């Protein structure tokens, strides 16, 4: 490690981050840039940021030797997660003393110590920043500890702005809080403003009192659902306050999750009806042709009709399987994970791919690939979804490359295309159910938006993880990592 933290380089790099923000950049690209400029200034082998939600954490950004951890989940029950969320906000940790598998994997790669700092907003932990070192000693001036804490606070402010962060929709910044309460006078000016109201609206009592409500006031006894500028939904009710004067009490609560579920339901119905209608219409059309014109059709025409019916029936069966899988959180077979030959499983899955994808696939799989620990039968599903996604967003005559490798702890394979690529701020959102990149993507690249969502669920059920990143030279790389068997 360096004798001193390079504060000059840190300030210069931080200015570049601020210029990105001033230029309109936000979210994951800004966070990644911050880690990239801070790592050399701190003399760290790697910087990584873990975003926490009520269900656990996930590595969403990293620079240096720990970039391989991007996408790695940290369950809420993981001892390391419990450790990180308790104790001092900033502290030094020896990795060989930190419980959990991820700490062991980092230590096995030669990383011995880290400085960890929680990013907190109003008592809520939104994530933690980690400076990882292979050396046994910290910089002699001792500033690294303070700098990591400062950077974690900067990241917390980025979450407070809610500009592209949190990456995951269920992050604690948008979690439901206690009901807001306000009392307004006859002119609609606020006379009482409780702490929950301040949290819902982002207005402290000083900014809210003696000013109009920051949202519409429904008639007494009625309910109004209103969308705030930050995208959250409030359900607002009002009533007359007993006693002299004409005061009204207003209560409101966050119904963002409910609105999201309602939108998901409506989108599910719309997407499902659209996706089912196409193969059903084709199957019915060819079946009617065979029934009504059997005698006048040639043998070649009959075989072609039967072939199309079979292809469309396979598409229909696959779509139904995906819809059913997305509706349950339980593995269909419930079988335990076992060691298996990942390379052989990938090769065996190729013949079952649709012909247009099968002909584009280029496999480069080492003969000595170690065994992976997981569910061999699920690899066909994972490869099908990833190659389908790669094929959808790339030219029909471009190759789809499947490569594999291993390190001391994991066995991995990558599906790479040379298509339109993925924006850095979308690498996590792409795994959301029903999500597609841009508003026009559903029209230009039809699909149910379930493939990557199912891939992540299937892989994480096997204690692995999956991530996306832009491909150098254009396109996208999807990487799946499973534990070594």
């Amino acid at each position: 490690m360096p004798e001193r933290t390079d504060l000059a380089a840190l300030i210069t790099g931080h200015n570049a981050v601020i210029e990105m923000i001033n230029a309109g950049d936000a979210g994951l690209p800004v966070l990644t840039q911050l880690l990239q400029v801070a790592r050399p200034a701190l003399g760290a082998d790697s910087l990584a940021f873990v975003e926490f939600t009520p269900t656990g954490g996930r590595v969403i950004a990293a620079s240096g030797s720990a970039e391989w951890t991007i996408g790695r989940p940290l369950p809420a029950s993981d001892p390391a997660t419990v450790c990180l969320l308790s104790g001092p906000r900033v502290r030094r940790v020896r990795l060989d003393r930190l419980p959990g598998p991820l700490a062991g994997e980092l230590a096995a790669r030669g990383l011995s110590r880290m400085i960890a700092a929680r990013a907190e907003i109003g008592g809520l932990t939104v994530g933690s920043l980690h400076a990882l070192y292979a050396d046994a000693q910290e910089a002699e001036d001792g500033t690294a500890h303070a700098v990591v804490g400062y950077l974690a606070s900067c990241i917390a402010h980025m979450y407070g702005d809610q500009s592209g962060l949190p990456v995951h929709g269920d992050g604690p910044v948008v979690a439901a809080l206690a009901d807001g309460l306000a009392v307004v006078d006859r002119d609609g000016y606020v006379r009482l403003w409780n702490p929950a109201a301040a949290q819902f609206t982002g207005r402290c009592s000083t900014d809210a009192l003696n000013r109009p409500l920051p949202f519409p006031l429904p008639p007494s006894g009625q309910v109004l659902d209103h969308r705030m500028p930050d995208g959250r939904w409030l359900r607002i009710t009002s009533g007359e306050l007993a006693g002299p004067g004409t005061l009204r009490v207003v209560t409101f609560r966050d119904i963002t999750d409910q609105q999201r579920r309602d939108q998901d339901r409506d989108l599910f119905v719309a997407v499902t009806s659209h996706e089912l209608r196409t193969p059903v219409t084709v199957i019915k059309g060819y079946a009617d042709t065979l029934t009504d014109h059997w005698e006048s059709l040639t043998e070649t025409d009959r075989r072609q009709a039967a072939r199309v019916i079979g292809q469309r029936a396979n598409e229909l069966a696959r779509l139904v399987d995906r819809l059913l899988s997305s509706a349950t959180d339980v593995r269909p077979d419930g079988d335990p994970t076992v060691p298996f030959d990942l390379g052989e499983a990938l090769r065996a899955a190729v013949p079952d791919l649709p012909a247009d994808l099968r002909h584009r696939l280029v496999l480069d799989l080492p003969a000595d690939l170690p065994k992976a620990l997981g569910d061999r039968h699920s690899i066909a599903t994972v490869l099908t979804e990833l190659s389908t996604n790669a094929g959808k967003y790339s030219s029909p005559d471009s190759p789809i490359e499947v490569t594999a490798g291993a390190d001391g702890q994991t066995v991995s394979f990558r599906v790479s295309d040379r298509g339109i690529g993925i924006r850095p701020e979308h690498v996590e959102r792409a795994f959301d159910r029903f999500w597609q990149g841009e508003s026009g993507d559903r029209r230009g690249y039809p699909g149910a938006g379930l493939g990557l969502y199912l891939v992540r669920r299937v892989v994480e059920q096997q204690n692995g993880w999956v991530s996306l990143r832009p491909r150098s030279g254009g396109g996208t790389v999807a990487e799946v990592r499973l534990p070594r068997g």
Side-chain angles (χ1 to χ4, degrees):
M1 296 179 60
E3 294 184 358
R4 299 181 62 85
T5 301
D6 191 344
L7 295 178
L10 179 68
I11 293 172
T12 301
H14 205 171
N15 284 337
V17 173
I18 293 174
E19 289 176 3
M20 285 182 65
I21 296 173
N22 291 338
D25 292 321
L28 206 53
V30 175
L31 175 58
T32 300
Q33 179 67 17
L34 178 61
L35 300 190
Q36 290 174 347
V37 301
R39 184 183 66 80
L42 286 165
D45 289 273
S46 180
L47 254 67
F49 186 76
V50 178
E51 180 178 272
F52 286 111
T53 74
T55 57
R58 185 181 300 278
V59 181
I60 63 168
S63 68
S65 60
E67 285 187 358
W68 60 273
T69 62
I70 293 176
R72 175 71 174 261
L74 278 76
S77 58
D78 191 305
T81 304
V82 176
C83 182
L84 291 171
L85 292 176
S86 60
R89 190 181 75 86
V90 186
R91 57 179 166 169
R92 301 176 184 87
V93 180
R94 282 185 52 176
L95 288 170
D96 58 359
R97 294 182 180 177
L98 188 65
L102 181 56
E105 293 173 31
L106 292 169
R109 293 170 182 260
L111 298 171
S112 59
R113 292 176 179 264
M114 74 174 177
I115 303 173
R118 291 195 299 274
E120 298 178 341
I121 304 175
L124 293 173
T125 298
V126 296
S128 59
L129 178 64
H130 305 263
L132 300 158
Y133 297 93
D135 303 286
Q137 299 294 327
E138 188 184 333
E140 292 182 1
D141 64 347
T143 55
H145 185 275
V147 168
V148 174
Y150 164 74
L151 293 175
S153 297
C154 292
I155 295 172
H157 280 291
M158 292 168 60
Y159 274 81
D161 293 338
Q162 298 188 35
S163 300
L165 295 170
V167 172
H168 298 275
D170 58 350
V173 174
V174 295
L177 302 173
D179 285 5
L181 174 67
V183 174
V184 298
D185 60 21
R186 68 172 66 190
D187 298 319
Y189 283 76
V190 176
R191 300 306 180 195
L192 176 67
W193 194 250
N194 77 338
Q199 294 180 34
F200 279 133
T201 61
R203 292 193 177 190
C204 64
S205 58
T206 303
D207 294 333
L209 291 174
N210 302 313
R211 289 180 173 86
L213 279 172
F215 46 73
L217 181 63
S220 180
Q222 296 187 21
V223 178
L224 172 67
D225 290 346
H226 174 73
R227 187 176 186 181
M228 300 292 288
D230 63 4
R232 287 182 297 171
W233 283 85
L234 299 182
R235 177 155 291 169
I236 309 162
T237 60
S238 73
E240 300 294 336
L241 190 63
T246 55
L247 298 178
R248 296 175 67 182
V249 61
V250 183
T251 60
F252 46 99
R253 64 178 56 185
D254 192 322
I255 60 166
T256 306
D257 288 342
Q258 178 181 330
Q259 286 284 340
R260 187 180 297 115
R261 287 192 296 270
D262 291 345
Q263 292 171 1
D264 281 352
R265 180 198 61 206
D266 294 342
L267 184 58
F268 176 85
V269 173
V271 169
T272 303
S273 61
H274 170 75
E275 294 298 314
L276 290 175
R277 185 179 297 114
T278 300
V280 168
T281 300
V282 174
I283 291 171
K284 184 179 184 303
Y286 275 92
D288 288 345
T289 299
L290 289 175
T291 301
D292 298 339
H293 306 285
W294 179 271
E295 298 299 334
S296 61
L297 294 174
T298 66
E299 182 66 20
T300 301
D301 292 336
R302 294 170 186 165
R303 289 183 179 275
Q304 174 62 17
R307 186 178 300 110
V308 172
I309 290 175
Q311 290 174 346
R312 293 297 186 166
N314 287 336
E315 293 177 11
L316 189 59
R318 179 167 168 261
L319 176 59
V320 171
D321 286 342
R322 296 166 80 194
L323 293 172
L324 292 176
S325 298
S326 70
T328 176
D329 289 324
V330 181
R331 285 184 62 187
D333 50 13
D335 293 337
T337 56
V338 295
F340 70 96
D341 188 328
L342 178 60
E344 191 277 331
L346 289 168
R347 293 186 188 94
V350 172
D352 293 330
L353 292 173
D356 58 334
L357 289 177
R358 188 169 63 246
H359 298 322
R360 295 174 58 186
L361 234 58
V362 179
L363 270 64
D364 182 10
L365 306 176
D368 58 348
L369 192 66
K371 288 190 175 182
L373 188 64
D375 175 13
R376 180 191 184 282
H377 300 292
S378 70
I379 296 302
T381 299
V382 173
L383 180 62
T384 299
E385 298 299 345
L386 293 181
S387 59
T388 298
N389 195 69
K392 184 197 304 186
Y393 293 103
S394 61
S395 173
D397 57 355
S398 64
I400 299 172
E401 301 163 76
V402 180
T403 58
D407 54 35
Q409 286 74 39
T410 64
V411 183
S412 63
F413 73 91
R414 291 160 295 282
V415 177
S416 307
D417 65 66
R418 302 181 184 182
I420 63 174
I422 185 168
R423 291 165 58 179
E425 62 268 30
H426 290 167
V427 295
E428 279 296 319
R429 291 194 64 195
F431 292 100
D432 291 347
R433 182 163 54 176
F434 302 128
W435 188 85
Q436 288 188 324
E438 304 291 352
S439 59
D441 279 0
R442 192 169 302 282
R443 182 167 53 251
Y445 306 96
L450 291 172
L452 292 178
Y453 167 79
L454 292 177
V455 166
R456 171 160 278 180
R457 285 188 47 208
V458 167
V459 172
E460 291 188 354
Q461 284 168 346
Q462 301 172 62
N463 299 315
W465 70 97
V466 59
S467 61
L468 292 178
R469 64 177 180 271
R471 177 181 175 273
S472 178
T476 303
V477 178
E479 182 173 27
V480 174
R481 287 184 176 267
L482 292 172
R484 285 185 65 146

